[in-house]
DNA sequence: TATCAAAGTTAGAAACATCTAACAAAAAGG
DNA sequence: CCTTTTTGTTAGATGTTTCTAACTTTGATA
């Protein structure tokens, strides 16, 4: 439990859930359609049942974050208001980053911002804010640059001006640049090391140029996901499923293909 | 609870904590110093007590994510390994973004990556990966650009090439660009609207040029944090605390100063 | 103004992740 | 091989957030 003092008195840190309630109530405060904030509204906004709200309000009241007495009107204290405002601000900045830089759709961005706003410290938030300001205030590095990124993201195309320096960017994370030198963040292995049934993603295709072209013509190029359908090590051929298509490969050919295991999913929170 | 099927059978999504355990165990697998994974090691890595690990291992065993029998050796199943690998990859990419783009120190970045890795969906992760690749693969837009950002962050200085376009960047978030036009993500108000004891940050200083210069000479420029020490509305003067210094302002002067309430902190998770 | 639906509350239970205290097995060291 | 230390387990409790079911208050309306 993180230590935190205020006015000399020990204070437990707020939980993420408490922050969510404060943010929700803060937003209801500024909702024109709503004059008095009701338990009902909070429950709806957070998608929980009313008794859950009631019990949380007691907790928040004890911690001097809302003024709450049963059956009475409800409002945030100054302290609660400050936190609610901060959460709302974080939410906005993070969502903006997700939508306008990473190109995520608004609905997903909103959901993920909801979780991220509890994960970042205030100095990270300051940096992210500066980042977003910079992108807006400096279109040369900003808009243009974001557009370049998005082209890269969609077609793998880099702006002409960058190509000259392509080969010699350096890898900072020691010990990981071994195989392909293309990127420092994947965990790479050889296609011929994968087991039957495993999924993966192509990182690079090596070997002699004509062979490489043939492999790429089969649809096996950087970024493509596949599944190993059949493979008894050292026993040809190896069979892949690429976007529903069946592809056969000699083991010797597979040895030149660097892949990253995993399908990028397989995680619960979605 | 998010719906999720696999092989036709209903499957509860993993909790973030379960993902943390899988990631920790996955990392122990690849630790050279450790031949057999012990409850002890996991407990140490996650900073929990051993009984906590034991009970989690039972859960993970029931869900077919580890092979565990009491007092016996322990290992991840293929399913568990896939998730552990994915979490580790996410952790790396996020941490790299935090350290090399946002300029956060490694320790903080590591802690925050730990939380963020549960907040992002796989398509967001793909975008972020592409983002980091782009920065590395395309130094013109990447290194140079990151360097420009970091200068902006530290000294508020933009590269010469950007200045021409300064005034007309547009704000996408409707209804928020009202007051200063400087940024779309703060909740702005007038300094004279703030109450005694509140904290805030200067967004812009308006008014006649000589007055403005005088105010800025007192240390009240964009980005500076302050606290309202004394202020009875409409009753001069208003007193601020700026980095420990006392500053007095006439209410008329304060009316031209746009601020954002809050000190950027006031949130628990740090 | 008496009645009834909507809004809110209490009480009690459950899931999750954690802990401490006490006990049990395995490993190490003579 | 017996003793001690280290490692691991069980049992039981706590705190947080949620739920359902049953009850109470408020306030709209007939």
């Amino acid at each position: 439990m993180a230590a935190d003092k205020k006015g000399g008195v020990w204070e437990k840190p707020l939980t993420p859930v408490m922050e969510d309630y404060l943010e929700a109530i803060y937003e209801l405060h500024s909702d024109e359609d709503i004059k008095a904030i009701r338990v009902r509204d909070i429950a709806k906004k957070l998608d929980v049942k009313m008794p859950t709200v009631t019990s949380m309000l007691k907790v928040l009241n004890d911690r001097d974050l809302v003024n709450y007495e049963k059956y009475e009107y409800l409002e945030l204290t100054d302290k609660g208001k400050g936190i609610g405002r901060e959460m709302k601000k974080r939410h906005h900045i993070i969502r903006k980053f997700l939508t306008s830089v990473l190109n995520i759709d608004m609905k997903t961005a909103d959901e993920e911002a909801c979780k991220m706003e509890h994960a970042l410290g205030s100095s990270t938030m300051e940096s992210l804010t500066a980042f977003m300001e910079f992108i807006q205030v400096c279109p040369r590095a900003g808009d243009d640059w974001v557009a370049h990124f998005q082209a890269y993201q969609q077609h793998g195309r880099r702006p002409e001006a960058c190509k000259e320096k392509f080969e010699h960017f350096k890898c900072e994370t020691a010990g990981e640049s071994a195989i392909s030198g293309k990127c420092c963040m994947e965990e790479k292995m050889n296609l011929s090391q994968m087991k039957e049934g495993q999924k993966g993603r192509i990182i690079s295709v090596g070997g002699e140029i004509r062979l490489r072209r043939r492999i790429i013509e089969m649809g096996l190029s950087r970024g493509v996901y596949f599944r190993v359908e059949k493979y008894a090590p050292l026993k040809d051929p190896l069979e892949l499923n690429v976007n529903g298509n069946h592809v056969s490969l000699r083991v010797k050919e597979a040895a030149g293909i660097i892949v990253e295991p995993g399908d990028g999913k397989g995680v619960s929170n979605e």
Side-chain angles (χ1 to χ4, degrees), chain A residues 205-215 256:
Chain A
V205 179
E208 189 257 324
I209 180 74
R210 272 196 321 218
L211 175 59
R212 210 157 81 200
R213 191 169 304 147
R214 200 178 79 74
I215 289 172

Side-chain angles (χ1 to χ4, degrees), chain A residues 18 21 39 49-62 68:
Chain A
M18 291 174 190
Y21 278 85
V39 171
K49 297 293 195 283
M50 290 201 294
T52 311
V53 175
T54 304
S55 61
M56 181 55 80
L57 287 177
K58 284 177 191 160
V59 173
L60 296 176
N61 188 64
D62 288 350
Y68 165 72

Side-chain angles (χ1 to χ4, degrees), chain A residues 195-208:
Chain A
K195 289 188 255 170
E196 204 165 301
Q198 275 196 299
K199 294 176 184 180
R201 182 172 167 248
I202 311 276
I203 299 298
S204 79
V205 179
E208 189 257 324

Side-chain angles (χ1 to χ4, degrees), chain A residues 99-119:
Chain A
T99 55
S100 67
V101 177
L102 296 191
N103 219 9
I104 306 296
D105 68 281
M106 181 56 95
K107 188 168 158 296
T108 308
D110 218 30
E111 287 166 12
E112 296 182 1
C114 252
K115 301 186 198 157
M116 283 175 70
E117 66 197 21
H118 310 291

Side-chain angles (χ1 to χ4, degrees), chain A residues 13-27:
Chain A
L14 298 188
T15 64
V17 177
M18 291 174 190
E19 290 172 356
D20 285 335
Y21 278 85
L22 294 175
E23 184 183 359
I25 298 170
Y26 181 79
E27 291 197 322

Side-chain angles (χ1 to χ4, degrees), chain A residues 227-247:
Chain A
R227 179 175 189 280
V228 181
E229 292 289 3
K230 225 191 268 177
Y231 180 38
L234 305 176
K235 188 173 162 306
D236 278 296
L238 177 154
E239 286 182 22
L240 300 183
N241 184 325
V242 182
N243 294 322
N245 300 316
H246 232 65
V247 173

Side-chain angles (χ1 to χ4, degrees), chain A residues 74-91:
Chain A
L74 167 74
E75 52 167 25
L76 290 170
T77 61
D78 285 351
K79 200 168 137 198
K81 211 178 288 179
I83 295 170
R85 178 164 43 222
E86 175 66 20
M87 296 320 295
K88 185 186 172 187
K89 197 176 80 185
R90 289 180 175 212
H91 189 102

